[in-house]
Amino acid sequence: MKIYFKDIVVKTTKMYELIDITRDVERIVSESKIVNGICVIHAPHATAAIVINEHENGLMSDILEFIRELVPRDGKWKHNIIDDNASAHIISAIIGSTRIIPVRDGRLVRGTWQNIFLLEADGPRHARRIVIEVFGE
Ligand code: ZN
């Protein structure tokens, strides 16, 4: 089995934001020369997450609006006493910071409306790292 890994670094410009990283992940899968296996997409951050869904501006805005309302920034969170970003931690915890996508015939197996995003929940940040690892043969 072969393992290939590479990081992506993105800059975020808003408190809540979806950054499409699909092309970067596809490029890394292609560079890996792995034909069949899996691709792990992991954000090593406690206040961001990885989301797979459609790249349509209205929907992207709906998702951000939904999480903003689901976990209000100004809730009575204990963590806010020390860091003022409890809502971002909770969003990261419930959505998750890792996704796995199958790789078949050298390509990610994803639906037409399945793009890969970094979800920023505590921006702006000048460097959010996303770790991509491709396993297979
Ligand atoms: Zn914190």
Side-chain angles (χ1 to χ4, degrees):
M1 189 186 70
K2 205 168 125 185
I3 302 173
Y4 183 86
F5 50 87
K6 207 163 219 185
D7 294 355
I8 298 168
V9 178
V10 297
K11 178 184 165 139
T12 65
T13 59
K14 300 178 185 105
M15 184 173 283
Y16 298 98
E17 192 172 6
L18 283 163
I19 308 272
D20 194 326
I21 56 168
T22 312
R23 282 190 180 176
D24 300 289
V25 180
E26 285 185 330
R27 179 179 36 79
I28 292 166
V29 169
S30 165
E31 281 169 15
S32 76
K33 307 281 184 216
I34 288 169
V35 179
N36 294 304
I38 57 169
C39 176
V40 175
I41 300 130
H42 175 68
H45 300 289
T47 55
I50 301 295
V51 168
I52 298 178
N53 221 288
E54 184 176 354
H55 189 135
E56 189 280 313
N57 289 340
L59 178 66
M60 289 160 70
S61 161
D62 291 339
I63 291 170
L64 296 176
E65 190 58 34
F66 175 74
I67 58 153
R68 203 189 327 247
E69 284 175 17
L70 184 69
V71 193
R73 191 93 191 164
D74 60 357
K76 296 200 184 318
W77 314 115
K78 294 184 180 73
H79 184 68
N80 282 0
I81 296 163
I82 59 162
D83 203 13
D84 207 29
N85 65 354
S87 63
H89 286 275
I90 294 166
I91 289 163
S92 174
I94 61 178
I95 295 175
S97 52
T98 306
R99 288 286 187 273
I100 298 170
I101 300 180
V103 174
R104 281 195 204 158
D105 301 322
R107 303 193 57 168
L108 289 171
V109 180
R110 59 181 188 89
T112 311
W113 313 116
Q114 285 187 306
N115 278 33
I116 308 159
F117 298 89
L118 172 82
L119 186 148
E120 174 62 82
D122 194 31
R125 301 287 184 105
H126 42 234
R128 286 294 205 180
R129 189 159 70 99
I130 304 121
V131 176
I132 311 299
E133 287 212 30
V134 191
F135 301 77
E137 42 196 28

